[in-house]
Amino acid sequence: QKEVEQNSGPLSVPEGAIASLNCTYSDRVSQSFFWYRQYSGKSPELIMSIYSNGDKEDGRFTAQLNKASQYVSLLIRDSQPSDSATYLCAVNQGGSYIPTFGRGTSLIVHP
Amino acid sequence: GAGVSQSPSNKVTEKGKDVELRCDPISGHTALYWYRQSLGQGLEFLIYFQGNSAPDKSGLPSDRFSAERTGGSVSTLTIQRTQQEDSAVYLCASSGDSADTQYFGPGTRLTVL
């Protein structure tokens, strides 16, 4: 059973702080990793994709991948109330073309 | 350019009726996915189409569910003899490459009374 685990939260952070979202996966043979943001009542939209170990930065967002430890994380710097949403981690495991999604972490950024 | 579109946006039906949900992927995208998301739950994979290959139906929850994709573009998800537990948001996504980013449509909210 291929699992992608996320803490459901909610994770509550003050405006301007760094929000750290974590995701672990079970299959070592995983190649593609994605973070999606989903606002309440809306469909998921891509935030970041990462394929290699290390960090990948895009604006206020940084994705971190550690294949040896089988985790991927998303850091949001200078968090804004508009970042309040559910963040879904998705992993293409074992060469599958079908990503496995975590259940998502709810993030609340309070003013 | 145009994104993934889905219709209808909302569907209310009575238990036992059949429903059809439509997805128009991004032009040129060869991969198409259907998911189901129940309230407060994660995304449940249903079916995957890639080009002209046979679809991966491993996520379909029962034989009441079926899907087709005509001409490698538009897809229709059909649910026969709907049950109340079928109530959920049905999301379609397309991708330009099987391992690439998925672009989601706005979803169809299905309510079975």
Side-chain angles (χ1 to χ4, degrees):
Chain A
Q1 182 76 7
K2 298 174 181 176
E3 301 283 344
V4 175
E5 300 287 344
Q6 295 182 256
N7 188 321
S8 63
L11 172 66
S12 182
V13 301
E15 184 175 356
I18 296 175
S20 178
L21 305 165
N22 299 309
C23 171
T24 60
Y25 57 94
S26 61
D27 195 328
R28 287 189 173 275
V29 186
S30 297
Q31 300 171 325
S32 307
F33 307 84
F34 306 89
W35 282 100
Y36 288 86
R37 177 176 63 197
Q38 186 173 26
Y39 291 114
S40 180
K42 301 295 184 182
S43 57
E45 57 180 337
L46 181 74
I47 298 294
M48 296 279 288
S49 60
I50 187 167
Y51 304 95
S52 304
N53 275 328
D55 294 359
K56 180 181 178 182
E57 185 175 321
D58 183 1
R60 296 186 296 113
F61 300 94
T62 299
Q64 299 175 319
L65 175 60
N66 185 323
K67 290 187 178 182
S69 300
Q70 294 175 238
Y71 81 78
V72 56
S73 62
L74 180 69
L75 301 179
I76 307 175
R77 291 182 299 281
D78 188 24
S79 296
Q80 302 297 310
S82 58
D83 295 326
S84 298
T86 296
Y87 289 80
L88 302 171
C89 172
V91 180
N92 282 44
Q93 303 194 94
S96 172
Y97 295 136
I98 300 166
T100 303
F101 281 82
R103 287 177 170 266
T105 297
S106 174
L107 172 67
I108 298 172
V109 181
H110 53 86
Chain B
V4 179
S5 61
Q6 292 186 246
S7 60
S9 56
N10 281 283
K11 177 70 176 180
V12 180
T13 190
E14 294 179 348
K15 177 181 174 181
K17 300 286 188 182
D18 298 351
V19 296
E20 285 189 353
L21 311 179
R22 178 187 168 102
C23 172
D24 281 272
I26 292 173
S27 178
H29 278 191
T30 57
L32 187 149
Y33 303 75
W34 281 99
Y35 296 91
R36 178 168 71 175
Q37 188 172 36
S38 300
L39 187 63
Q41 300 298 310
L43 292 174
E44 177 187 3
F45 164 75
L46 297 177
I47 189 168
Y48 160 69
F49 294 90
Q50 172 57 37
N52 296 318
S53 302
D56 184 325
K57 305 179 182 180
S58 60
L60 295 178
S62 78
D63 58 8
R64 296 187 295 105
F65 288 72
S66 64
E68 63 177 20
R69 188 179 185 191
T70 55
S73 181
V74 172
S75 177
T76 302
L77 176 69
T78 300
I79 309 173
Q80 296 179 312
R81 306 181 301 282
T82 52
Q83 304 295 311
Q84 289 183 332
E85 60 263 29
D86 298 334
S87 296
V89 175
Y90 289 80
L91 291 163
C92 173
S94 70
S95 173
D97 182 279
S98 296
D100 204 351
T101 305
Q102 295 188 26
Y103 296 86
F104 285 84
T108 293
R109 181 176 298 278
L110 174 66
T111 303
V112 182
L113 302 177

